[in-house]
């Protein structure tokens, strides 16, 4: 993988330079999704996940076929429940392929943020609100498998937040 503008190479991944590096890497990696996108965040960072390229990658994956999915685990859903979150709107339009859950209480102290795409690509941020501490890597099956197992364990203990349901009147 070529190093993008806004990143520097460290070990197997690229340390991203600020928000613009995080946005670019997230879009590039999400665009390559063929089976799944797993997002673990505190409040679903709109500067990253409400970008047109992210929304289109998630939409394309969700409509591709029945075995693809986008799953989102959040620590706080209040800000997106108040409206204006285009990713939430997309989840509501494609509920058979996309789902958001509120993390179980025992996982609310976890400040990390990451996005896993398929079996080998990820974007990882040690502290959700600090894009300067982000790393992106493609081709690391071991790290993605490790994070995906943790995501699945937390997903299974978490529930849908009723505040995110769309009310039809």
């Amino acid at each position: 993988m070529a190093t993008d503008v806004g990143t520097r190479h460290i070990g197997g991944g690229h340390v991203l330079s600020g928000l613009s590096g995080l946005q670019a890497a997230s879009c590039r990696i999400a665009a390559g999704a063929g089976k799944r996108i797993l997002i673990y965040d505190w409040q679903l960072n709109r500067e990253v996940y409400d970008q047109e390229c992210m929304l289109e990658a998630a939409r394309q994956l969700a409509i591709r076929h029945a075995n693809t999915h986008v799953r989102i685990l959040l620590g706080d859903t209040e800000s997106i429940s108040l409206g204006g979150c285009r990713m939430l709107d997309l989840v509501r339009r494609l509920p058979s392929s996309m789902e958001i859950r509120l993390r179980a209480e025992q996982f609310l102290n976890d400040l990390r943020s990451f996005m896993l795409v398929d079996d080998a690509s990820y974007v990882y941020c040690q502290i959700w609100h600090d894009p300067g501490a982000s790393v992106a890597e493609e081709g690391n099956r071991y790290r993605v498998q490790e994070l995906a197992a943790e995501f699945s364990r937390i997903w299974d203990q978490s529930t849908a937040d009723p505040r995110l349901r769309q009310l039809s009147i």
Side-chain angles (χ1 to χ4, degrees), residues 22-135:
L22 176 60
Q23 289 171 319
S26 296
C27 282
R28 183 187 68 250
I29 288 175
K35 295 185 294 186
R36 71 177 184 190
I37 297 174
L38 306 178
I39 298 171
Y40 187 91
D41 203 355
W42 181 251
Q43 293 180 326
L44 196 59
N45 184 337
R46 291 181 197 198
E47 293 178 308
V48 175
Y49 298 112
D50 262 11
Q51 297 180 89
E52 194 58 44
C53 56
M54 286 295 302
L55 296 164
E56 185 60 19
R59 188 184 75 74
Q60 287 296 321
L61 180 64
I63 66 173
R64 189 163 294 137
H65 59 77
N67 295 329
T68 60
H69 60 267
V70 177
R71 291 186 174 160
I72 302 169
L73 268 172
L74 300 177
D76 178 24
T77 57
E78 184 175 356
S79 67
I80 66 168
S81 69
L82 297 176
C85 179
R86 296 185 306 158
M87 184 65 81
L88 176 59
D89 295 340
L90 186 60
V91 170
R92 287 174 171 164
R93 286 196 316 267
L94 300 167
S96 64
S97 299
M98 299 182 71
E99 187 177 354
I100 297 176
R101 288 189 183 177
L102 180 62
R103 293 190 312 223
E105 189 172 334
Q106 66 265 35
F107 303 108
L108 293 181
N109 291 329
D110 189 354
L111 299 180
R112 298 173 302 158
S113 174
F114 56 84
M115 177 182 69
L116 309 175
V117 175
D118 295 339
D119 298 323
S121 299
Y122 70 92
V123 177
Y124 182 90
C125 187
Q126 186 63 38
I127 302 173
W128 70 272
H129 60 275
D130 182 7
S134 301
V135 176

